[in-house]
Amino acid sequence: MCKNILTLIVFFLFSLTMGQTSAVFELRKLNKRYDSILIAYQQRAKDSLSGHSKKDRLKIMALYEQKVNKQRRQQNLAYLDKIKLEEDTSSGTPAKRDIKCKSMGNFGPPNFKRNSKYKATESPQVSAVPHFLGEVKSVVTFIVDEEGTVKNVRANGENEDFNREIELMFYTMEKKWTPVCVGGFAQANRFILPITQTAE
């Protein structure tokens, strides 16, 4: 009994010091799973749709992938809500970690491009989704902790779909940021970043 209680206490304390919530890791696993499903579909479709013209084959594949990606987005948004809830309801302040760094090191983000082997099938008969027309703007606030982990990402702008896409982009990045380095030690900081996207 005492051993079980001790295990729960250790797990609770460990969870307070983690940079990101468990839902963030679940979100990343979800996207990898969907990528695998779509890659497998593309490989099968090359044979099963071989009797169709290239134009029709691409259309069929693009429409199916669009349907699957719509399901992916719905689940992504559900995880995004879960992440925010976990961050908002987490109790206690994570202990400050003394992580050494190079004083001359520059703060900066990793590559924003998501590393995925899945490439969506393109068809001139099927429009991309989601598609933001014209200019859309958002201001994103976030924290980069001492380990370079991003958390508490919140995007605000007129287009809610664009805001959610930005938040998902930040949370699905697996590579860490380079944190601010002061006096040889990394420091957690909150940042504000305006983002503008223009599409025709």
Side-chain angles (χ1 to χ4, degrees):
M1 181 68 177
C2 291
K3 184 178 180 181
N4 291 337
I5 293 174
L6 181 61
T7 301
L8 287 172
I9 292 173
V10 170
F11 176 77
F12 175 71
L13 292 174
F14 176 72
S15 66
L16 289 181
T17 61
M18 287 180 65
Q20 290 179 321
T21 69
S22 60
V24 172
F25 298 101
E26 291 171 8
L27 172 66
R28 292 173 184 167
K29 284 173 62 178
L30 174 74
N31 281 287
K32 287 180 179 179
R33 187 161 65 248
Y34 267 101
D35 284 350
S36 297
I37 290 171
L38 289 166
I39 290 171
Y41 165 74
Q42 289 176 334
Q43 293 171 344
R44 292 194 309 270
K46 289 179 181 179
D47 294 327
S48 62
L49 299 175
S50 59
H52 293 74
S53 66
K54 182 179 180 181
K55 181 180 179 181
D56 288 343
R57 184 170 68 251
L58 291 177
K59 179 182 178 181
I60 293 169
M61 291 175 66
L63 285 172
Y64 177 80
E65 290 174 40
Q66 194 176 89
K67 179 181 177 181
V68 174
N69 278 317
K70 185 177 180 180
Q71 295 174 351
R72 182 212 295 254
R73 177 171 169 75
Q74 290 173 344
Q75 292 189 39
N76 276 342
L77 292 175
Y79 270 111
L80 184 60
D81 289 339
K82 186 177 179 181
I83 290 167
K84 291 181 177 182
L85 182 63
E86 287 183 359
E87 288 178 339
D88 291 342
T89 58
S90 61
S91 58
T93 302
K96 183 178 179 181
R97 287 152 288 187
D98 292 329
I99 299 175
K100 292 184 178 181
C101 59
K102 295 180 180 179
S103 297
M104 297 302 292
N106 294 322
F107 163 78
N111 190 333
F112 276 84
K113 187 176 181 181
R114 196 167 72 87
N115 185 22
S116 172
K117 293 182 180 180
Y118 165 67
K119 304 298 179 187
T121 300
E122 295 182 0
S123 168
Q125 297 172 285
V126 181
S127 60
V129 176
H131 187 62
F132 306 107
L133 295 175
E135 185 179 83
V136 285
K137 296 182 179 181
S138 186
V139 176
V140 57
T141 60
F142 57 98
I143 292 173
V144 177
D145 69 12
E146 299 93 338
E147 293 183 343
T149 299
V150 172
K151 55 187 179 180
N152 294 94
V153 181
R154 301 293 183 270
N156 291 288
E158 292 183 1
N159 191 309
E160 283 301 313
D161 287 336
F162 185 57
N163 294 336
R164 301 293 80 78
E165 285 298 319
I166 291 172
E167 291 170 349
L168 285 169
M169 177 181 68
F170 272 76
Y171 281 120
T172 52
M173 282 191 299
E174 294 194 27
K175 292 185 178 180
K176 295 189 175 184
W177 291 55
T178 302
V180 172
C181 188
V182 178
F185 289 94
Q187 288 192 353
N189 279 275
R190 184 180 296 275
F191 299 92
I192 300 175
L193 179 67
I195 296 177
T196 301
Q197 177 176 302
T198 304
E200 297 179 356

